[in-house]
Amino acid sequence: MIFSILEHILTHISFSVVSIVLTIYFLTLLVNLDEIIGFFDSSDKGIVITFFGITGLLFTRWIYSGHFPLSNLYESLIFLSWAFSIIHMVSYFNKKQKNHLNAITAPSAIFIQGFATSGLLNKMPQSAILVPALQSQWLMMHVSMMILGYGALLCGSLLSIALLVITFRKVGSTFLKKNMKKKILLNELFSFDVLYYINERNSILLQQNINFSFSRNYYRYQLIEQLDYWSFRIISLGFIFLTVGILSGAVWANETWGSYWNWDPKETWAFITWTIFAIYLHIKTNRNVRGINSAIVASIGFLLIWICYFGVNLLGIGLHSYGSFTSN
Amino acid sequence: MSPSLNPLRTKFPSPLKSPSLYNLCNSRNLHIRLHLQIRCNQGSTQQKPNPKKKIVLFGAAPSVLEQKDRQVNSGDGGTTSSSTPSMWRFVKRVPKRALTLLANLPLAIAEMGAIAAFMALATIVEQGESLEFYTSKYSEENPVLGFFTWKWIVYPGFDHMFTSPIFLGLLVLLGASLMACTYTTQLPLVKVSRRWSFLQSSETIRKQEFSDSLPCASVQDLGAILMGHGYEVFLKGPSLYAFKGLASRFAPIGVHLAMILIMAGSTLSAAGSFKGSITVPQGLNFVVGDVLAPIGFLSNPLDSFNTEVHVNRFFMDYYETGEVSQFYSDISLLNFEGKEVMRKTIRVNDPLRYGGITIYQTDWGISALQISKNGEGPFNLAVAPLQRSGDFKLFGTFLPTGESDSSGKVKGISMLARDLQSIVLYDEEGKFAGVRRPSSKLPIEINGTKIVIEDAIGSTGLDLKADPGVPIVYTGFGALMLTTTISLLSHSQVWAIQDGSTVVVGAKRNRGKIEFSKEMNVLLNKVPELVSTNDAIDS
């Protein structure tokens, strides 16, 4: 009884703190709050509080139910929002500069947690017992690695979607205007190219020499490059987690049923996701290809992750039926 | 020369002369000059450019690859000489051309994309069903998406996608591409990265991704500072080469090799393994070789197939709510002579391994109910499964208690069981009579018949497997996990040349480029500035 109350309290704390943090971020968009430095610090602390809240929640469930809290869809969603809050915090520890990643992770954390507790999954929040097949040490490693991988890859692909939106928004709006402006459009696109080329060759001197004459394009270009860079880094990290998760799942299946790959729908979709992000990484290695192509691939990856995580569970068949909506 | 872009003198295409940009450039006195060099590589396979002069350090052992490289260079020269007959040259060139064709990156990306698309199709279309299923579901009268009938599914083999020729062919092609890429691109990388390549001119150094020049500095100081930051520094006269983190240069090679290993191992598994499953009531035996059936054409039976497996005991654990928590089988293995060689209690995630065979606990059932009726007995009543949906099972049996009625049906007592814990009894009319636990031995009286349930005998569902490819696949898995993690590290290289009293520095890194420039700045700031020019010329 105590545990369920504690669980309730922690859920509410983390949810409300994340909403506050989100509100602060949105406020900074509308109003220039750079002078009020305290606000940024408080959003840092807010995320730390959320992180501890969700950790406490998971811990409580662990103690209460006796098994690692990753046995059904609800628990894996809570774990996913926990992964987002970790990613958010890691970026604070590594860098001093403001990071665009934060704009992605905080809303994602709140959406996931909101969905999980919303009541669409009605019977889930109660802890259920583990069936014999799930009683294994591998459960911890396989599922947690997969969820961490999903979280990181989702962040990276959201950043790529943002990149695509920013790149094509200008082009789209300019296309709507008359053809006479076509020359200016081409100029802007080409000046884009010039900046890209210069930046590739010599980034340090560029930052010293360029007066912000290309100001609009330059800032936008800087933003795009940052997004590209960060999405590459976080997708690489997520890819490693995904690889380890898939492989540990294969080894677990071999220990339990004797074959390490059964072409289960969930396994197949995880492999498809892995393949798409491998394609992304390979496109990135080729420096002649523009960043847009890799961003398109990563955006496709976003859809695939959701199909892999949720879509397959809607079918409710196969080895992974523990996570389905219909299971109780 | 500092990079500067002069809109009037550049070779860049004309949009730079467009009014808006031009005005902007001129009005703010912006001068950026760009030097472009376009080099064509047509037909240069015949001629290799002069290899960089390799510098041998004084007092250090020469690079291990020098000997081999000289041989390779002369060997390459040999193949292109006109002394070999042209036919032989053609034959030798074909596999090389095939290799370069296979190692093409867009092709590999296309293959991966095609494999992903086919796998997605396989999850949408049900696999392994009968022909009637497909003809009825994807009938020709109203095809899906306007054209997708059952013919599209059955003829290319999409109903058994993962063993169909198209899919397997794509996998083989991807494997070939992997091997070709490893051979042509990655392995030469090993040679290049092990060579200590000094850059001779300051021109080339300035062309690096990050470059800077330090006036009034000496190369030795730079070397000392780099060593303090964990770089391996090589210094020869005025030039310097340093690197850090060599492992991540090799990591992609490791990744591809690991994948090839996994593919080889799984091919071996698919072609050479044995599989079988059996349901054994408690107390009975079976011989391993009777159960296992070969899967592929490379399957070779092992000696251990002679062992006999005896199920000593089958029991289950339950939660307080009554659901099954775990089921166990106590198994002994007896060899050909009948001697017990191994005994183990296995459960779901804990199989038994012996001589190449693995026995997994995957399922369970109830095989018989032992009852005594009116003091006579015990009788064994065979139990049949009534309903099996996932983890929820129901078993039942029937004890006839009398004459048949008018319609020929025999009347009796029905007993249902969900697990081995408790049996539910129903009387001749089908009304609920009572629940008994087998361990309690309490009698139950139903319409004059006294029944005591002595025991519920379970049967264990075992899966047996003999798979020679598993060690290879596990090694591949471990290597893949390790090498993908290593490839996240970064590999940095720094070149420097003492040019008079300035040191020209160029650097490159394969990951984390933005922090790299900051890190290099911090590093370069530490290089002491020499006040008098005399000190800088020492070497």
Side-chain angles (χ1 to χ4, degrees):
Chain A
M1 195 52 197
I2 294 184
F3 282 127
S4 59
I5 296 179
L6 191 59
E7 225 181 282
H8 247 88
I9 295 176
L10 286 169
T11 319
H12 285 291
I13 288 180
S14 34
F15 190 78
S16 30
V17 169
V18 168
S19 353
I20 294 176
V21 168
L22 207 61
T23 324
I24 293 179
Y25 274 126
F26 283 148
L27 281 180
T28 60
L29 282 181
L30 300 172
V31 180
N32 189 4
L33 285 174
D34 276 340
E35 301 99 34
I36 317 178
I37 311 253
F39 257 1
F40 275 127
D41 280 349
S42 68
S43 62
D44 284 1
K45 296 192 185 85
I47 283 293
V48 174
I49 294 178
T50 311
F51 169 69
F52 281 120
I54 303 184
T55 313
L57 173 64
L58 288 172
F59 238 60
T60 315
R61 281 189 81 96
W62 192 351
I63 297 175
Y64 183 52
S65 62
H67 59 80
F68 195 70
L70 265 183
S71 64
N72 60 9
L73 194 59
Y74 173 74
E75 288 173 349
S76 65
L77 284 172
I78 299 284
F79 208 87
L80 188 63
S81 58
W82 186 71
F84 279 129
S85 61
I86 285 189
I87 294 175
H88 194 115
M89 280 187 7
V90 162
S91 61
Y92 278 125
F93 289 137
N94 261 343
K95 312 216 54 61
K96 302 269 170 38
Q97 71 188 34
K98 192 158 73 111
N99 197 354
H100 304 280
L101 212 50
N102 307 333
I104 302 277
T105 54
S108 313
I110 200 178
F111 280 137
I112 297 289
Q113 201 170 354
F115 177 67
T117 50
S118 66
L120 281 175
L121 323 162
N122 31 21
K123 285 201 203 136
M124 301 269 171
Q126 300 151 12
S127 342
I129 51 161
L130 276 183
V131 293
L134 285 184
Q135 291 171 13
S136 166
Q137 299 296 87
W138 286 105
L139 173 71
M140 284 199 265
M141 181 170 184
H142 167 58
V143 188
S144 52
M145 282 287 132
M146 290 299 284
I147 304 277
L148 281 171
Y150 284 158
L153 289 174
L154 282 172
C155 281
S157 39
L158 280 175
L159 285 174
S160 297
I161 293 181
L163 191 152
L164 282 179
V165 165
I166 295 179
T167 314
F168 287 120
R169 200 170 59 97
K170 196 66 190 299
V171 173
S173 62
T174 340
F175 266 130
L176 289 178
K177 296 181 190 157
K178 293 225 172 141
N179 265 350
M180 273 175 35
K181 305 223 176 171
K182 200 169 175 184
K183 238 188 168 181
I184 304 183
L185 167 71
L186 283 174
N187 290 339
E188 286 178 340
L189 281 182
F190 270 113
S191 63
F192 219 66
D193 249 313
V194 171
L195 286 171
Y196 192 79
Y197 183 74
I198 296 174
N199 219 19
E200 285 284 291
R201 299 310 285 164
N202 203 331
S203 54
I204 297 300
L205 289 177
L206 172 71
Q207 281 159 17
Q208 292 168 359
N209 279 348
I210 289 273
N211 300 326
F212 302 105
S213 47
F214 306 100
S215 52
R216 226 174 13 164
N217 279 343
Y218 179 71
Y219 276 130
R220 193 162 63 101
Y221 173 69
Q222 271 279 9
L223 179 65
I224 288 184
E225 196 197 78
Q226 284 251 329
L227 284 178
D228 196 34
Y229 177 71
W230 275 105
S231 101
F232 177 61
R233 287 196 84 181
I234 204 163
I235 285 184
S236 322
L237 189 67
F239 188 73
I240 292 177
F241 283 140
L242 190 68
T243 310
V244 175
I246 293 180
L247 295 180
S248 55
V251 174
W252 184 13
N254 200 24
E255 295 297 307
T256 307
W257 296 298
S259 75
Y260 40 82
W261 195 260
N262 292 312
W263 296 113
D264 191 45
K266 187 112 182 193
E267 280 175 354
T268 313
W269 276 102
F271 192 44
I272 294 176
T273 312
W274 188 87
T275 308
I276 287 288
F277 283 107
I279 293 179
Y280 172 85
L281 290 175
H282 278 91
I283 291 182
K284 273 286 188 176
T285 60
N286 190 354
R287 262 163 277 164
N288 296 331
V289 177
R290 290 293 303 276
I292 304 290
N293 296 336
S294 50
I296 293 177
V297 173
S299 317
I300 297 177
F302 180 71
L303 287 173
L304 290 184
I305 294 181
W306 282 116
I307 297 179
C308 176
Y309 189 26
F310 262 11
V312 176
N313 287 339
L314 290 177
L315 294 178
I317 56 168
L319 297 170
H320 283 93
S321 58
Y322 316 113
S324 76
F325 283 125
T326 54
S327 79
N328 43 0
Chain B
M1 74 153 194
S2 57
S4 48
L5 177 69
N6 190 332
L8 293 176
R9 281 209 284 151
T10 184
K11 296 180 196 136
F12 216 78
S14 57
L16 276 177
K17 292 201 192 131
S18 66
S20 57
L21 211 64
Y22 183 90
N23 288 334
L24 282 173
C25 286
N26 266 351
S27 61
R28 312 266 179 127
N29 265 345
L30 195 64
H31 289 285
I32 313 171
R33 195 190 309 133
L34 220 68
H35 280 251
L36 296 180
Q37 265 186 335
I38 306 172
R39 202 194 317 182
C40 261
N41 267 339
Q42 287 178 6
S44 60
T45 48
Q46 301 290 334
Q47 272 210 1
K48 278 208 160 67
N50 286 334
K52 291 198 196 101
K53 280 196 226 159
K54 275 196 286 266
I55 301 172
V56 181
L57 292 189
F58 298 131
S63 158
V64 176
L65 288 172
E66 263 192 343
Q67 284 289 88
K68 250 204 281 178
D69 276 352
R70 257 187 246 126
Q71 279 173 0
V72 166
N73 278 337
S74 59
D76 273 341
T79 50
T80 57
S81 74
S82 53
S83 59
T84 56
S86 53
M87 192 62 181
W88 180 237
R89 238 189 304 157
F90 176 71
V91 167
K92 269 194 136 183
R93 209 177 295 170
V94 163
K96 193 163 186 185
R97 195 161 287 175
L99 265 185
T100 42
L101 204 65
L102 275 179
N104 193 12
L105 183 63
L107 176 70
I109 292 181
E111 284 165 11
M112 289 199 274
I115 290 180
F118 279 134
M119 288 199 281
L121 186 63
T123 48
I124 298 173
V125 175
E126 288 88 354
Q127 300 284 298
E129 303 281 345
S130 63
L131 186 60
E132 292 81 34
F133 176 81
Y134 292 114
T135 44
S136 61
K137 186 157 181 198
Y138 301 95
S139 62
E140 296 189 17
E141 283 85 52
N142 50 343
V144 177
L145 292 181
F147 67 94
F148 203 68
T149 60
W150 60 272
K151 285 192 183 153
W152 281 85
I153 298 177
V154 176
Y155 288 158
F158 288 162
D159 58 332
H160 52 282
M161 169 75 78
F162 300 112
T163 44
S164 69
I166 293 186
F167 191 70
L168 291 177
L170 270 177
L171 281 179
V172 166
L173 198 60
L174 186 66
S177 283
L178 263 178
M179 288 194 267
C181 172
T182 312
Y183 184 67
T184 56
T185 322
Q186 310 275 13
L187 288 180
L189 211 65
V190 177
K191 287 188 208 157
V192 168
S193 58
R194 283 186 66 184
R195 215 186 282 165
W196 302 325
S197 54
F198 286 78
L199 292 180
Q200 292 292 68
S201 69
S202 43
E203 294 273 327
T204 36
I205 286 189
R206 278 183 216 271
K207 287 193 186 146
Q208 293 302 320
E209 282 176 3
F210 169 87
S211 79
D212 204 352
S213 51
L214 303 168
C216 304
S218 101
V219 142
Q220 281 86 359
D221 292 336
L222 181 63
I225 292 190
L226 283 174
M227 278 210 292
H229 277 256
Y231 283 76
E232 276 199 46
V233 180
F234 305 98
L235 204 57
K236 153 69 181 149
S239 57
L240 173 146
Y241 173 63
F243 67 81
K244 180 159 95 156
L246 195 60
S248 85
R249 200 89 193 265
F250 298 139
I253 307 175
V255 170
H256 288 115
L257 283 177
M259 292 198 60
I260 294 178
L261 203 62
I262 293 178
M263 288 179 105
S266 54
T267 315
L268 188 59
S269 289
S273 59
F274 282 88
K275 244 189 195 182
S277 64
I278 186 171
T279 309
V280 189
Q282 172 179 301
L284 297 188
N285 298 4
F286 67 95
V287 178
V288 169
D290 288 340
V291 178
L292 288 174
I295 297 289
F297 54 91
L298 282 178
S299 315
N300 269 329
L302 307 165
D303 281 339
S304 45
F305 281 21
N306 281 327
T307 45
E308 197 177 325
V309 179
H310 175 67
V311 178
N312 296 313
R313 195 176 149 234
F314 172 73
F315 56 100
M316 306 207 289
D317 272 351
Y318 304 93
Y319 287 111
E320 289 140 10
T321 48
E323 278 103 353
V324 177
S325 133
Q326 187 61 274
F327 36 99
Y328 307 83
S329 307
D330 182 2
I331 297 187
S332 320
L333 292 177
L334 312 164
N335 68 0
F336 203 56
E337 284 87 35
K339 202 165 62 100
E340 179 176 309
V341 288
M342 190 165 181
R343 181 171 182 159
K344 185 175 172 177
T345 303
I346 64 171
R347 56 191 182 96
V348 177
N349 277 313
D350 188 15
L352 182 151
R353 291 198 162 89
Y354 174 74
I357 318 171
T358 318
I359 304 183
Y360 300 91
Q361 170 88 64
T362 51
D363 207 358
W364 63 273
I366 305 183
S367 79
L369 267 189
Q370 206 176 50
I371 62 163
S372 55
K373 172 182 162 188
N374 290 334
E376 301 156 4
F379 303 112
N380 275 353
L381 295 174
V383 171
L386 293 179
Q387 170 188 328
R388 288 173 151 252
S389 62
D391 291 322
F392 179 66
K393 298 180 200 221
L394 196 61
F395 299 90
T397 186
F398 183 74
L399 176 68
T401 54
E403 328 75 31
S404 41
D405 65 355
S406 49
S407 55
K409 290 199 213 137
V410 183
K411 288 223 172 216
I413 299 174
S414 323
M415 294 169 233
L416 293 179
R418 240 183 19 173
D419 48 40
L420 293 174
Q421 267 181 343
S422 51
I423 320 284
V424 184
L425 296 113
Y426 297 85
D427 68 0
E428 285 93 342
E429 271 80 47
K431 273 202 334 247
F432 173 74
V435 180
R436 283 293 178 269
R437 286 179 182 267
S439 44
S440 64
K441 307 249 201 284
L442 285 176
I444 182 170
E445 182 95 25
I446 301 177
N447 292 342
T449 323
K450 193 173 91 157
I451 306 225
V452 176
I453 302 201
E454 308 280 346
D455 202 3
I457 304 173
S459 62
T460 173
L462 298 171
D463 265 5
L464 286 90
K465 192 143 191 251
D467 195 342
V470 166
I472 302 178
V473 172
Y474 275 15
T475 322
F477 280 170
L480 188 60
M481 285 198 248
L482 199 64
T483 45
T484 32
T485 318
I486 290 180
S487 73
L488 200 62
L489 304 171
S490 59
H491 170 66
S492 344
Q493 292 171 292
V494 179
W495 293 270
I497 273 204
Q498 180 95 45
D499 200 354
S501 71
T502 38
V503 173
V504 181
V505 182
K508 188 163 105 158
R509 194 194 234 192
N510 61 356
R511 284 196 189 270
K513 296 188 187 174
I514 290 190
E515 290 111 13
F516 185 49
S517 43
K518 295 201 179 76
E519 204 180 290
M520 284 305 295
N521 273 333
V522 165
L523 208 107
L524 291 178
N525 280 340
K526 290 193 185 162
V527 178
E529 182 166 342
L530 301 164
V531 179
S532 76
T533 40
N534 285 336
D535 297 344
I537 305 186
D538 272 333
S539 66

